């Protein structure tokens, strides 16, 4: 009995001193494991006479239970301490000011792209796209450019190397081939806006070999030039964010439209500052017209039944006008100072009700 008390006191003292869970487990094995001290004592019961064994057995069981309880209590305490230590260690101070990360900006091309799409989406135009590498049929022939016609030269086309069958693919010189792809692929009514990259071999203050265009196409049974004018004036006012903009159609020529027009909007240029919507000066912003019957025919549409309009404009050009960017080439130089100056807040998606550009 004396021994039992000493054993109990020693084991429980060791349990309470165990500094961590591993040490505690060692103590447990040392006492209650197969070769543990308490287990060894229990084994000695076998050699006792029945009366002594009954008494000693009860006493040993009490010791065993006490030791087990002490171990459980210590384990709970150690686990709680460990959790608290971890919570303290991994604490995040959410009140700290954010680190000064360098925030990126939205490139004026992306911004203008989103603005124009938002405006035409509101008018029910769906966005359509086509490949940058085109063939002669979609870029020229179906658009009523006669073979060997100088209008093909007008575009300063980039041709790809000749193929075994003698044809040459090219980098599309305008977004108009997507008109052809759409008309050949879907039945009217058609109402699409085609934003995209275009290419011409040209480079100066107002020309870069790669630039962007927006093409609009509407085909239906009764679509007429009044609708074209209405759409464009709606667009111009929404885009330049002015209540009313004088607009005039100047007769022009494109092989794929008849009649064709160039559209000017009213502006003033006092003191070198361009202001849209005011004054008595004019500024050319886009080309447009009624889709030529030959184009409709090339796309499998009966010109006696269907008609419509198309327009095309340069994305960089309207961005330059709205945001006062003087040199087209700077769009593509990736100069960070330029991007910080002309860039737009990220995640600030242009919408008509929320405002287009900030
Ligand atoms: N594709 C013409 C160009 O690039 C623009 C245009 C499109 C004109 C549609 C009229 C109609 O110059």
């Amino acid at each position: 009995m004396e021994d039992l008390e000493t054993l109990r006191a020693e084991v429980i003292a060791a349990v309470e001193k165990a500094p961590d869970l591993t040490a505690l487990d060692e103590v447990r094995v040392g006492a209650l494991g197969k070769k543990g001290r308490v287990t060894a004592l229990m084994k000695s019961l076998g050699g006792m006479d029945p009366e002594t064994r009954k008494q000693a057995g009860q006493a040993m069981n009490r010791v065993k239970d006490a030791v087990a309880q002490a171990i459980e209590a210590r384990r709970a305490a150690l686990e709680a301490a460990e959790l608290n230590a971890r919570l303290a260690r991994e604490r995040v101070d959410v009140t700290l000011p954010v680190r000064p990360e360098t925030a990126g900006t939205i490139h004026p091309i992306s911004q203008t792209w989103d603005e124009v799409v938002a405006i035409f989406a509101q008018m029910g135009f769906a966005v359509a796209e086509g490949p940058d590498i085109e063939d002669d049929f979609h870029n020229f022939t179906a658009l009523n450019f006669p073979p060997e016609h100088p209008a093909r030269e007008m575009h300063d086309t980039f041709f790809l190397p000749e193929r075994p069958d003698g044809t040459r693919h090219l980098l599309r010189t305008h977004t108009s081939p997507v008109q052809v792809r759409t008309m050949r692929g879907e039945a009217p009514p058609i109402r699409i806006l085609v934003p995209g990259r275009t290419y011409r071999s040209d480079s100066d203050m107002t020309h870069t070999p790669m630039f962007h265009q927006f093409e609009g196409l509407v085909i239906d049974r009764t679509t007429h030039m009044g609708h074209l004018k209405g759409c464009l004036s709606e667009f111009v006012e929404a885009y330049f964010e002015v209540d009313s903009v004088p607009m005039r159609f100047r007769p022009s020529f494109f092989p794929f439209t008849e009649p064709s027009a160039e559209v000017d909007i009213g502006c003033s240029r006092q003191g070198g500052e361009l202001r849209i919507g005011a004054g008595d000066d004019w500024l050319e912003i886009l080309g447009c017209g009624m889709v030529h019957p030959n184009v409709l025919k090339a796309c499998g549409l009966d010109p006696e039944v269907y008609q419509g309009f198309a327009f095309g404009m340069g994305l960089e050009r309207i961005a330059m006008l709205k945001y006062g960017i003087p040199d087209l080439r700077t769009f593509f130089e990736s100069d960070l100072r330029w991007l910080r100056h002309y860039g737009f807040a990220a995640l600030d998606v242009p919408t008509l009700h929320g405002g287009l550009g900030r």
Side-chain angles (χ1 to χ4, degrees), residues 143 145 154-155 173-177 179 198 200 211 213-216 254 256-257 260-261 286-289 309-313:
L143 289 165
F145 285 76
M154 199 167 91
H155 279 195
T173 58
H174 49 177
T175 40
S176 303
Q179 284 188 29
T198 48
R200 290 181 201 179
F211 59 104
Q213 285 192 337
F214 285 103
E215 186 92 9
F254 300 103
F256 36 91
T257 46
S260 303
L286 58 88
C288 64
F309 62 79
F311 57 86
M313 67 184 120

Side-chain angles (χ1 to χ4, degrees), residues 13 15 22-23 28-29 40 59 67 73 95-96 114 133 142 181 207-208 240 265 281 284-285 315 334:
V15 165
T22 332
R28 183 187 62 79
V29 173
V67 166
T95 65
L96 280 178
D114 290 346
I133 296 176
R181 290 182 177 277
H207 299 88
T208 49
F240 289 106
I265 54 176
D281 218 343
E284 183 192 319
I285 58 155
L315 187 163
S334 302

Side-chain angles (χ1 to χ4, degrees), residues 241-287:
E241 296 172 277
V242 282
D243 290 338
S244 96
V245 182
M247 199 171 74
R248 73 176 182 193
F249 277 40
R250 235 177 334 101
S252 184
F253 171 79
F254 300 103
F256 36 91
T257 46
E258 183 59 36
S260 303
E262 229 122 26
V263 174
D264 298 340
I265 54 176
C267 68
S268 75
R269 289 186 171 91
Q270 260 143 30
E273 198 204 345
L274 177 74
R275 290 193 43 189
I276 307 281
D280 48 15
D281 218 343
W282 295 100
L283 183 72
E284 183 192 319
I285 58 155
L286 58 88

